[in-house]
Amino acid sequence: MRIQKEAELEQGLVLEEADLALIHQLSRKKLTREEVYAFCVRLCDNEVDRDGERFSAECLGELARLFVGKSGIFDHQWSAAGQTARIYRTELVREEGTLTQAGDGYCYLKGYAYLLRTEKNRDLIAEIEGGIKKEVSVGCAVERAVCSICGADLRSGSCGHVKGQEYEGKLCFAELQGATDAYEWSFVAVPAQRNAGVIKTFDTQREQLEREARLGRKYLAGLKDEVARLGALADPELESGVLKGIADKLEEGELLALRRAYEVRLDKLYPAQTQLNYSGAQQREQKDGAFLI
Ligand SMILES: [Zn+2]
């Protein structure tokens, strides 16, 4: 079960020798204190959140191990340039005297992350330092969401208890247990008017859509080149620029039909040579196919 939660960015911190040693393990390159910028992220805690869920303290302990080495990606303006931060250490922090809604001691998982102090990262570090609020979204996978009232798995809905409701004065919530994986975390710009809960699913969906769109454009561009190339072979009278212009205006279905037609024509014109062309086209198709998966 995949879980996505918001986290909180904390201030920058002063690096100790021990921190540098841990960073060194991840960077595989010896870095000096001046080359590294470090900051903290409050990754997740055992308080019941607005989804009526919380991590058990044991689960936070498991996540502490899983989050080490995981990358954080920034807004698109940053991630386009390849800026990433990495968690080099985690710590389960117990706040003495603070109780959760469920009545037990409050604790949270703190992540220590680092960034390289490069020219490219300078503005980004200034933003973090300046306290410009950024939402941090973290994702992980857990095995169970246990009902706080009866102990059944709440996802199956078999017990009939509803998250957020009280039963004889006891709050029903889902306790997330058995962490199995931790994913990349991301900084997302805070929209001016954000509805609670929207940001969590929106972000991953948007990334997925953008990735698919990128792959689609790449595939289509390859197909257009291929059609223009085959067209020039099949009809040497036509200028390649004209063919390219035509191909650019066509949709995928039309391009595939045209490619097929050119291949048939080339087969008739140059039986021996076309086999080579044809196999070339096949290979390209397979390559693009692999991108699309
Ligand atoms: Zn129940």
Side-chain angles (χ1 to χ4, degrees):
M1 175 182 24
R2 189 172 176 140
I3 304 289
Q4 196 78 24
K5 298 286 181 196
E6 279 171 23
E8 211 177 296
L9 183 64
E10 291 185 0
Q11 75 294 337
L13 56 100
V14 180
L15 284 168
E16 308 287 339
E17 278 302 321
D19 293 300
L20 281 172
L22 289 170
I23 291 169
H24 184 204
Q25 284 177 14
L26 292 173
S27 67
R28 278 169 286 159
K29 179 180 169 238
K30 193 97 179 139
L31 296 164
T32 66
R33 191 171 273 128
E34 289 71 34
E35 290 173 308
V36 176
Y37 174 73
F39 59 96
C40 289
V41 179
R42 195 181 270 243
L43 293 166
C44 37
D45 60 22
N46 68 338
E47 183 57 281
V48 181
D49 65 18
R50 61 185 175 216
D51 298 326
E53 295 176 342
R54 75 156 189 173
F55 291 97
S56 69
E58 293 73 28
C59 193
L60 291 174
E62 291 154 5
L63 287 170
R65 186 173 44 79
L66 292 167
F67 266 112
V68 173
K70 290 294 177 325
S71 296
I73 352 173
F74 295 90
D75 295 335
H76 291 278
Q77 70 175 113
W78 300 112
S79 57
Q83 274 101 331
T84 53
R86 248 177 133 186
I87 293 176
Y88 64 90
R89 175 161 85 91
T90 54
E91 183 186 357
L92 190 59
V93 181
R94 291 179 193 279
E95 281 190 358
E96 295 301 323
T98 308
L99 295 180
T100 65
Q101 275 189 64
D104 48 5
Y106 175 75
C107 57
Y108 69 92
L109 181 60
K110 189 172 183 172
Y112 294 76
Y114 79 94
L115 263 169
L116 295 182
R117 280 190 191 272
T118 57
E119 188 59 29
K120 274 199 308 190
N121 286 343
R122 202 184 54 184
D123 291 350
L124 183 55
I125 291 169
E127 274 195 30
I128 297 172
E129 283 284 86
I132 292 174
K133 268 288 173 199
K134 296 256 182 192
E135 294 281 342
V136 181
S137 170
V138 296
C140 63
V142 300
E143 286 170 341
R144 297 176 298 279
V146 176
C147 174
S148 63
I149 304 295
C150 70
D153 194 323
L154 262 179
R155 280 176 306 158
S156 65
S158 58
C159 69
H161 291 123
V162 179
K163 286 189 287 189
Q165 291 199 2
E166 286 196 2
Y167 298 88
E168 291 170 9
K170 214 179 150 201
L171 178 70
C172 173
F173 59 85
E175 186 165 273
L176 306 173
Q177 298 179 356
T180 53
D181 206 353
Y183 306 117
E184 276 183 338
W185 42 292
S186 57
F187 286 77
V188 283
V190 186
Q193 283 184 320
R194 183 170 53 82
N195 292 323
V198 172
I199 210 164
K200 295 196 294 188
T201 46
F202 175 68
D203 193 53
T204 41
Q205 278 176 2
R206 188 184 59 191
E207 278 171 15
Q208 175 73 15
L209 286 173
E210 280 178 1
R211 196 160 45 233
E212 283 171 9
R214 266 202 310 278
L215 290 173
R217 282 196 295 274
K218 197 168 179 172
Y219 161 72
L220 211 54
L223 190 57
K224 285 172 180 173
D225 286 347
E226 183 73 14
V227 166
R229 190 179 69 84
L230 291 175
L233 284 171
D235 204 344
E237 305 282 287
L238 271 172
E239 278 179 48
S240 65
V242 173
L243 279 165
K244 193 76 184 37
I246 294 168
D248 274 339
K249 293 183 185 70
L250 301 178
E251 302 288 334
E252 187 198 9
E254 298 163 325
L255 288 165
L256 288 173
L258 202 53
R259 183 173 73 179
R260 165 69 30 200
Y262 279 143
E263 280 165 354
V264 170
R265 192 149 156 207
L266 285 166
D267 241 337
K268 286 177 186 156
L269 283 173
Y270 321 100
Q273 196 190 339
T274 326
Q275 275 200 324
L276 290 171
N277 285 326
Y278 184 64
S279 66
Q282 283 286 87
Q283 271 173 11
R284 186 167 305 200
E285 189 173 57
Q286 278 168 7
K287 211 164 76 188
D288 290 337
F291 274 114
L292 283 168
I293 289 165

